[in-house]
Amino acid sequence: MQLFQLLAAALSGGTVLLFGMLGGIFTETSGVMNLAIEGYMLLGATISYSVSASTGNPWIGLLMGAVSAAILGILHAIICVTLKADQVVSGLATNFVGTGVSLVLGANLASLVGKVPLLPSIEFPGLLNYGWFGEGLYYLTKQNVMVYLGILIIPIAQWYLKKTRPGMHLRAIGENPEAADAMGVNVNGLRYVYTIFGAALAGIGGAAISIGIYSGWFSELTVNGRGWICVGLVIFAQWDPVRGALGAYFFGILSRLVLDLKIPSTLFGGLVANPFFLHPNYTFFLEMLPYIFTLVVMIIGANSARKKHIGTPSALGRPYSRGEKGK
């Protein structure tokens, strides 16, 4: 049963990272650097929660969370694609805008906890009739609808990027925009599209936190740094959706283990001894683990991409102007 609970936590914890990570992959594959995922997720979480509370419909909240993040993505696209400004600076600035707006709009939303309509969960009670294994499967499959949506979008994103003509155009504008332009592909137009689309996906990830998976509480900083973890996962994934999904779900396992280690009696039936670092004065070591993991996977991903000469889009971070040769 413990294994099923751990896998269930991996699915739920990984899902909130999955959408932000995929948004980063789509945007950066087009050649536009995306460091604003945290701001997109914060804005999506705040707007979706507020709209769900005011309309009574969490699906409208989910939609508006995506739309609000997409609008912020337009700002990033204007700065990077049209004005051709530094993409790192633009990403950080856009992130600050999303964070600031969320702080203002979400300041009083915590009082609505317990009163906001939430996205539904899916469960299969018939599994309980099949003994301990069926009970384990029941707890594994009893997930918020966003978990199932996340599982569905992984193969779709992989197929789109690797097997379709639009996906080929997307990879082309990130690898060699000059050649793509010569073939008649609208480089800057598509960069707008995928910057906005990537922002919307990250906004959905934020909504998954506030009105879906972690919906028992809310604060204006409810994303809690997960957007930056998504940035690291994009690098670890080498811009590949399946690899990124595996990293996201592993992070979900790690997050659950951190919680279990704080209460050793819940870990493997209480068979684990209580080491010194689980003392209440030292548990901050455990809370550092997810972020240490992010640094490790970034290093692994960067080194792997460098050695294999794959992964990073060649034109990532470089604005494109027709008639100018890439530097």
Side-chain angles (χ1 to χ4, degrees):
M1 185 63 66
Q2 189 77 31
L3 176 61
F4 286 110
Q5 292 175 348
L6 189 61
L7 292 175
L11 290 174
S12 59
T15 296
V16 300
L17 300 173
L18 182 67
F19 289 97
M21 179 272 300
L22 288 175
I25 286 178
F26 274 98
T27 299
E28 295 199 352
T29 301
S30 75
V32 178
M33 192 170 292
N34 190 353
L35 296 180
I37 299 177
E38 177 84 0
Y40 295 147
M41 292 181 71
L42 276 168
L43 189 60
T46 301
I47 296 299
S48 62
Y49 196 81
S50 177
V51 172
S52 181
S54 60
T55 64
N57 189 326
W59 294 105
I60 296 177
L62 178 65
L63 175 63
M64 294 310 297
V67 170
S68 62
I71 292 172
L72 192 58
I74 293 174
L75 174 63
H76 185 45
I78 290 173
I79 296 172
C80 294
V81 181
T82 301
L83 300 180
K84 307 187 189 308
D86 186 285
Q87 295 182 8
V88 173
V89 174
S90 175
L92 293 175
T94 304
N95 182 71
F96 293 146
V97 171
T99 302
V101 172
S102 299
L103 286 170
V104 172
L105 297 182
N108 299 318
L109 293 181
S111 61
L112 300 178
V113 171
K115 305 174 185 178
V116 178
L118 306 173
L119 293 169
S121 293
I122 297 175
E123 56 182 293
F124 304 94
L127 293 172
L128 294 172
N129 300 325
Y130 296 94
W132 68 270
F133 185 74
E135 184 179 354
L137 285 179
Y138 170 74
Y139 286 111
L140 175 62
T141 57
K142 184 181 179 182
Q143 298 282 1
N144 188 269
V145 66
M146 295 303 297
V147 172
Y148 288 96
L149 184 59
I151 293 172
L152 178 63
I153 200 174
I154 296 167
I156 293 175
Q158 186 78 3
W159 168 78
Y160 182 87
L161 282 169
K162 307 295 185 181
K163 301 296 184 181
T164 68
R165 189 174 185 83
M168 180 185 70
H169 290 166
L170 169 57
R171 288 183 283 118
I173 64 175
E175 289 290 340
N176 193 331
E178 292 80 11
D181 192 7
M183 294 172 59
V185 177
N186 185 343
V187 175
N188 287 336
L190 286 181
R191 285 186 170 183
Y192 257 90
V193 168
Y194 288 110
T195 300
I196 296 168
F197 178 66
L201 280 178
I204 290 173
I209 296 174
S210 62
I211 59 173
I213 295 168
Y214 298 138
S215 51
W217 64 281
F218 179 85
S219 80
E220 59 272 22
L221 292 176
T222 191
V223 174
N224 197 28
R226 290 183 179 89
W228 295 110
I229 293 171
C230 290
V231 173
L233 285 174
V234 171
I235 299 172
F236 167 76
Q238 296 178 19
W239 295 264
D240 180 89
V242 172
R243 183 183 171 104
L246 293 175
Y249 291 135
F250 180 77
F251 184 90
I253 292 177
L254 186 63
S255 298
R256 175 54 188 259
L257 284 175
V258 168
L259 293 176
D260 285 345
L261 284 170
K262 289 183 177 181
I263 312 174
S265 62
T266 68
L267 187 63
F268 302 115
L271 299 178
V272 177
N274 190 356
F276 78 93
F277 58 81
L278 295 184
H279 187 279
N281 292 336
Y282 301 103
T283 54
F284 64 87
F285 282 113
L286 296 175
E287 301 190 358
M288 290 168 57
L289 285 179
Y291 301 96
I292 294 174
F293 166 73
T294 301
L295 291 174
V296 170
V297 298
M298 285 180 67
I299 293 170
I300 293 173
N303 285 339
S304 178
R306 177 178 54 82
K307 292 178 181 178
K308 297 179 181 179
H309 302 288
I310 60 174
T312 308
S314 299
L316 179 61
R318 175 165 61 87
Y320 175 69
S321 296
R322 177 174 290 182
E324 293 182 5
K325 292 184 178 181
K327 298 180 180 179

